[in-house]
Amino acid sequence: MTLTVAIDGPAAAGKGTISKAVAAHFGFAHLDTGLLYRAVGAKVIAGQSPIDAAQTLDPSDLEDDSLRTATVAQAASEVAVIPEVRAALVDFQRTFAARDGGAVLDGRDIGTVICPDADVKLFVTASAACRAERRYKELAGKGHDVTPAGVLADVQERDKRDSERAAAPMVAAEDATLIDTSDMSIEQAVAAAISAVGTARHN
């Protein structure tokens, strides 16, 4: 059985946590597609050209702990606007989505560009202020030197760049189920996502 779940949304809305929980609940494979761009960004920081980095990406490149740093995140957002980089990573994602046993992919353009025929599409979002507060607590908790205002500005800048880029802008698919996590606990958000996927499986 192949069942593809596409989960999109902006940074710090909770889609990564929700995606992992959905995959674990149903026994599906999970791919954080943002890690693909982070891995390319990390290679660019190390001196590779963006296009070459994307074309030679290996699954093992996604296991580097340094991919979660703010510096790599910034590089990822910058390489993600390059059409040739996105094209090189499309095949990687579509192959993963078609695997037997079901797959959950989360990112910015899964339901609109990568897997427009996905069996389930979710768009997980939250207010910029709410997402910035979450990201600030996460970064500060890890000892990063950040301020609430600085994190909010970063979130808003990234939203603008992701939603206004020419290639595959971040936008909810017309047939996506919207989950706004602003006033939800993570348990409530996960339950809503699992319910949506469960309904699709039985239709």
Side-chain angles (χ1 to χ4, degrees):
M1 180 203 78
T2 61
L3 189 135
T4 304
V5 180
I7 302 182
D8 293 306
K15 69 179 181 296
T17 303
I18 290 169
S19 299
K20 286 175 192 158
V22 167
H25 180 86
F26 291 103
F28 297 163
H30 171 246
L31 177 63
D32 173 357
T33 64
L35 277 183
L36 301 179
Y37 293 96
R38 285 174 180 260
V40 172
K43 284 172 171 272
V44 170
I45 291 170
Q48 244 182 306
S49 77
I51 296 170
D52 184 50
Q55 291 173 342
T56 59
L57 195 66
D58 187 84
S60 62
D61 295 324
L62 307 181
E63 295 164 16
D64 186 345
D65 289 340
S66 72
L67 298 184
R68 295 293 181 186
T69 66
T71 303
V72 171
Q74 184 67 30
S77 189
E78 289 168 6
V79 300
V81 303
I82 302 171
E84 293 88 349
V85 168
R86 304 195 72 84
L89 298 180
V90 164
D91 290 342
F92 188 108
Q93 295 170 76
R94 286 182 176 160
T95 299
F96 187 95
R99 65 198 294 152
D100 285 336
V104 179
L105 291 80
D106 73 79
R108 299 285 193 279
D109 62 347
I110 309 304
T112 53
V113 175
I114 305 301
C115 303
D117 297 323
D119 301 285
V120 185
K121 298 177 188 177
L122 306 177
F123 192 83
V124 179
T125 189
S127 69
C130 179
R131 290 184 288 117
E133 182 181 353
R134 292 173 187 167
R135 181 54 54 86
Y136 170 73
K137 287 178 179 175
E138 177 191 348
L139 294 173
K142 293 178 180 175
H144 293 285
D145 183 16
V146 291
T147 65
V151 173
L152 177 59
D154 286 345
V155 165
Q156 291 172 328
E157 179 189 343
R158 186 165 179 188
D159 285 352
K160 182 177 169 61
R161 189 161 56 232
D162 287 343
S163 60
E164 294 180 359
R165 65 188 177 213
M170 178 183 68
V171 62
E174 288 185 8
D175 53 348
T177 298
L178 184 69
I179 299 178
D180 188 326
T181 66
S182 298
D183 299 313
M184 280 184 176
S185 67
I186 192 62
E187 292 79 13
Q188 290 171 322
V190 167
I194 287 174
S195 174
V197 176
T199 299
R201 283 186 84 191
H202 294 117
N203 284 347

